[in-house]
Amino acid sequence: MFTIEHEFDATVVTLVDDGEVPLREDVVISAFEDCVTVIQIDPRTDLPVTITLSMAQLRDLSLALDLPEGSYRFRSETDAEGGI
């Protein structure tokens, strides 16, 4: 299950683990103009852990989900043509 909320400066997606036991803490993903944050409560400390991804890291992650094992570097069309 998940929810989507549109706030003033971000779109917030909350992923709820409603699978089989043991369940994990909810994951809150906030998409801002220049970055994406992923927050989850650490059950050992009961404190939130935040990871911030740049838009380039998010792009690379989305590409990586469909690729086989290996090392990759994103190359834009302008790079292929010798541009900037």
Side-chain angles (χ1 to χ4, degrees):
M1 179 182 130
F2 62 92
T3 64
I4 301 171
E5 300 172 53
H6 297 291
E7 297 183 359
F8 173 71
D9 63 343
T11 296
V12 179
V13 177
T14 302
L15 306 175
V16 179
D17 190 2
D18 57 355
E20 297 183 25
V21 177
L23 299 178
R24 304 287 185 216
E25 295 291 329
D26 294 353
V27 175
V28 178
I29 304 163
S30 299
F32 298 93
E33 182 178 334
D34 60 343
C35 68
V36 172
T37 61
V38 179
I39 302 172
Q40 186 175 41
I41 301 295
D42 182 339
R44 295 169 291 176
T45 63
D46 212 28
L47 295 172
V49 176
T50 302
I51 297 172
T52 302
L53 301 170
S54 69
M55 298 313 282
Q57 289 174 313
L58 186 62
R59 178 203 63 219
D60 291 349
L61 174 60
S62 68
L63 293 171
L65 294 175
D66 292 327
L67 293 171
E69 184 176 334
S71 177
Y72 300 89
R73 180 181 305 251
F74 179 76
R75 195 165 135 176
S76 70
E77 290 181 25
T78 55
D79 289 341
E81 299 168 0
I84 296 174

